[in-house]
Amino acid sequence: MRYIAVFLLLANLAYFGWNQYRPGPLVAPLVHEQRPLLNTGLMLISEFDAQVAAQQRINEEASRLCAIVGSFPTVDEAKSFIAASADRGLGARLNMTGELIPPQYRVYLPPLTSRSIATITLDGLSERIAGAGLQIETYLITRGLLENAIALGLFARSNNAAVVRNQVVALGYRVEIEEIPQSTGEIQVQLTPLDSAQIDNVEWLDLAADRPYLSRTEILCETIAQGPQFP
């Protein structure tokens, strides 16, 4: 009996020690799920002001009146009108209606500082062209953005324009080529007021003063049907 009691005691001690020092089960660490912040409906004043300003810009743009101006006899006249509009703080761009057709190419000497200097230059150029045996038409441009420039011809093909340019450059002159867009429809200009809801009548009267052939049609800027356009 004594041996049995000793054996049971030792067995109990061994079991107690095993329970105390055995490795416990692995437990995965808790991961806290990121939850989106609750939308409390609160907003910073700066954010509110930015939204109000953005909405105001949208409302102003929706009520802004543009104008379609036409029709111009030539692209040169339209470009001159665009330059005059820009001087008065109006946005303006060329609007070619109808189907696009191949452009033309104008060869010219850049505008000179005065009509008298341009005339003297034209006379000298004509003599040099004749002396070189070249067949080049020359004339003075008297109005528009190219006023006091010397034209050297209008060509349907860019390579023909390049031939004339190279011939005149060889005589010692600076020559440029301008591509002139063409279409089967009217030549128009789209006007956009930059700082107001519509174009001021005084501005329009100034622009149309020496262009009695022009007409203006106002329309909401968003609803303008755009044709082929050029800067």
Side-chain angles (χ1 to χ4, degrees):
M1 292 296 293
R2 185 177 61 182
Y3 294 108
I4 294 174
V6 172
F7 173 77
L8 291 175
L9 178 61
L10 292 174
N12 285 329
L13 290 174
Y15 180 74
F16 177 77
W18 180 77
N19 277 327
Q20 291 294 319
Y21 297 105
R22 68 173 178 175
L26 295 176
V27 179
L30 294 177
V31 178
H32 295 285
E33 181 182 355
Q34 296 291 334
R35 297 183 179 179
L37 295 176
L38 294 177
N39 183 4
T40 62
L42 298 178
M43 180 183 298
L44 295 175
I45 294 178
S46 58
E47 293 176 338
F48 176 78
D49 291 342
Q51 289 189 10
V52 170
Q55 186 61 48
Q56 185 176 358
R57 286 193 297 269
I58 293 174
N59 294 340
E60 290 175 353
E61 195 63 31
S63 62
R64 180 170 294 185
L65 289 177
C66 288
I68 293 295
V69 180
S71 64
F72 293 86
T74 65
V75 171
D76 283 349
E77 289 289 338
K79 288 185 175 180
S80 177
F81 182 87
I82 289 172
S85 301
D87 290 341
R88 290 165 174 79
L90 296 173
R93 62 184 305 169
L94 186 64
N95 186 50
M96 306 290 288
T97 64
E99 296 287 333
L100 285 178
I101 58 178
Q104 291 184 317
Y105 300 89
R106 175 165 49 202
V107 185
Y108 64 96
L109 271 62
L112 296 157
T113 54
S114 68
R115 179 65 55 84
S116 59
I117 294 177
T119 301
I120 293 172
T121 303
L122 175 60
D123 292 341
L125 174 61
S126 299
E127 291 179 2
R128 299 196 66 176
I129 288 174
L134 300 175
Q135 299 295 320
I136 299 176
E137 177 186 7
T138 61
Y139 60 91
L140 187 64
I141 300 175
T142 59
R143 59 175 297 169
L145 295 180
L146 293 180
E147 183 178 355
N148 295 330
I150 298 173
L152 302 173
L154 196 62
F155 303 90
R157 299 174 61 88
S158 60
N159 56 345
N160 293 338
V163 168
V164 172
R165 177 194 61 193
N166 295 339
Q167 289 174 339
V168 178
V169 166
L171 299 178
Y173 294 88
R174 183 166 70 91
V175 183
E176 296 183 8
I177 297 178
E178 178 189 14
E179 180 178 315
I180 303 175
Q182 296 190 103
S183 73
T184 59
E186 291 185 353
I187 303 172
Q188 300 176 341
V189 170
Q190 176 189 328
L191 284 180
T192 305
L194 301 182
D195 300 322
S196 62
Q198 61 184 3
I199 299 168
D200 188 89
N201 283 330
V202 174
E203 293 173 333
W204 167 249
L205 291 174
D206 278 347
L207 289 169
D210 57 346
R211 301 176 178 92
Y213 54 86
L214 292 182
S215 63
R216 178 182 67 167
T217 302
E218 289 188 338
I219 191 169
L220 287 175
C221 296
E222 289 185 330
T223 61
I224 290 180
Q226 302 295 340
Q229 296 187 5
F230 302 85

